[in-house]
Amino acid sequence: MLNKAFAAAGAAAWGGLPFSELAADMTEAAVEKATALCPNPRTVLVAAFPYYAGDRPGNLSLYARGRDYHQVVTGKLNTICDILREKYENEVFLPAADNSPLPERQAAWRSGIGLRGKNGLVILPPYGSYVFLGTILTDAALDLPPRTPSAHCVGCGKCLTACPGGALGEDGVNLSRCLSELTQKKGELTGEEAGLVKAHPLIWGCDTCQRVCPYNAHPALSPLPEFREDLVDALDRADLEGLTNRTFRDKYGDRAFAWRGPAPLRRNLELKKSM
Ligand code: SF4
Ligand code: SF4
């Protein structure tokens, strides 16, 4: 039943694991948050949704060009929750995408979805690392498919060498130096952070450790129209001119780059201007 449901929702892979196992990768605070949402959590389902739409010029990260994955993936997972709710009337099913206390990548790797990239990402051939992850948290004890934890990538090290912020190491990602974080940071950047953003071609996100990865050399296109059509590849100052927070949200509220409002995008564009 779940195989069909995840395939119908557009997931390229799915899996699941007991919450107690994933809790080993979570802080105490994250476990408390998850338990507040779902008392007696038993099972975590995790799924990967491809988003690659081709390589077109632009200044936004590829993940941010289509419809906001938080909304799209959560909606798709909710269709699976609806099916499960019919069968398990008294249980809780909570869909989420990048906005829950659950560590999605660890859930994917522990479930055997894709490979563990040295760049900290889930790599799922033939889609490469261009996949969004989403989870369903439940207090139901579901029958799960057999799983073997994900293998590591080939470990070529290209992502470590290419990382413009020096954010990648053998231990993972140092978020304080990661351009994906810095371009989204609110308020003032330090001189060093501003220098990194200024030197990078994108005003939102980074993509460098994905672009250099051999698994992303010829990624398969996403089958999902939400991530393939009606793309916003780039923003310039004119696109943002005169917009208040509210009118910005009216115009771009269905995009993943909108959640911080227009201020970081304007700041990043100004930094490019001063190059
Ligand atoms: S997203 Fe960019 S800055 Fe962040 S780890 Fe990857 S290459 Fe480095
Ligand atoms: S670039 Fe090489 S080391 Fe980095 S994630 Fe890809 S395969 Fe692994």
Side-chain angles (χ1 to χ4, degrees):
M1 168 186 85
L2 284 176
N3 273 336
K4 252 188 163 174
F6 275 106
W14 75 279
L17 74 169
F19 176 82
S20 56
E21 191 182 318
L22 186 60
D25 291 324
M26 297 168 66
T27 61
E28 218 171 285
V31 171
E32 268 175 32
K33 273 188 196 168
T35 309
L37 292 167
C38 174
N40 192 25
R42 304 279 289 277
T43 308
V44 175
L45 301 180
V46 54
F49 296 84
Y51 67 83
Y52 188 70
D55 193 4
R56 307 163 9 143
N59 63 4
L60 298 170
S61 174
L62 298 180
Y63 84 83
R65 297 183 183 192
R67 289 265 321 284
D68 185 346
Y69 65 97
H70 301 94
Q71 301 165 9
V72 174
V73 170
T74 305
K76 289 182 180 300
L77 291 174
N78 204 36
T79 63
I80 293 158
C81 291
D82 282 342
I83 294 168
L84 289 163
R85 286 176 191 123
E86 273 183 27
K87 187 168 173 197
Y88 301 90
E89 286 177 7
N90 300 316
E91 323 292 16
V92 174
F93 294 94
L94 299 171
D98 199 16
N99 52 6
S100 86
L102 302 176
E104 297 169 336
R105 294 173 195 180
Q106 280 77 11
W109 291 325
R110 282 182 180 272
S111 304
I113 293 178
L115 301 164
R116 289 172 188 257
K118 260 195 179 178
N119 54 10
L121 300 172
V122 171
I123 299 169
L124 181 67
Y127 302 102
S129 56
Y130 299 117
V131 291
F132 296 124
L133 299 173
T135 55
I136 295 173
L137 175 63
T138 177
D139 50 2
L142 301 177
D143 282 337
L144 297 171
R147 66 203 152 89
T148 310
S150 298
H152 290 271
C153 67
V154 289
C156 67
K158 285 184 180 171
C159 52
L160 273 70
T161 310
C163 175
L168 284 175
E170 294 297 333
D171 297 335
V173 188
N174 174 357
L175 290 180
S176 70
R177 294 194 63 84
C178 174
L179 265 300
S180 191
E181 293 288 311
L182 296 180
T183 53
Q184 300 184 38
K185 191 172 165 184
K186 266 189 144 171
E188 292 257 323
L189 299 176
T190 66
E192 191 185 5
E193 290 170 347
L196 288 170
V197 172
K198 188 173 166 176
H200 197 267
L202 302 186
I203 60 161
W204 187 264
C206 173
D207 286 350
T208 300
C209 56
Q210 303 206 78
R211 286 184 179 277
V212 299
C213 179
Y215 294 99
N216 287 338
H218 305 288
L221 293 174
S222 170
L224 300 167
E226 294 91 334
F227 303 135
R228 287 276 302 278
E229 295 167 7
D230 187 26
L231 303 182
V232 178
D233 297 315
L235 290 175
D236 60 24
R237 279 185 291 282
D239 292 318
L240 304 178
E241 204 165 314
L243 295 180
T244 61
N245 282 345
R246 197 163 143 209
T247 53
F248 173 79
R249 275 183 219 294
D250 290 344
K251 192 172 176 186
Y252 295 118
D254 63 350
R255 305 288 158 168
F257 59 76
W259 74 289
R260 279 276 156 96
L265 294 160
R266 284 196 179 115
R267 176 200 61 207
N268 298 344
L269 279 166
E270 284 306 309
L271 283 168
K272 310 289 176 198
K273 196 170 102 183
S274 61
M275 275 179 89

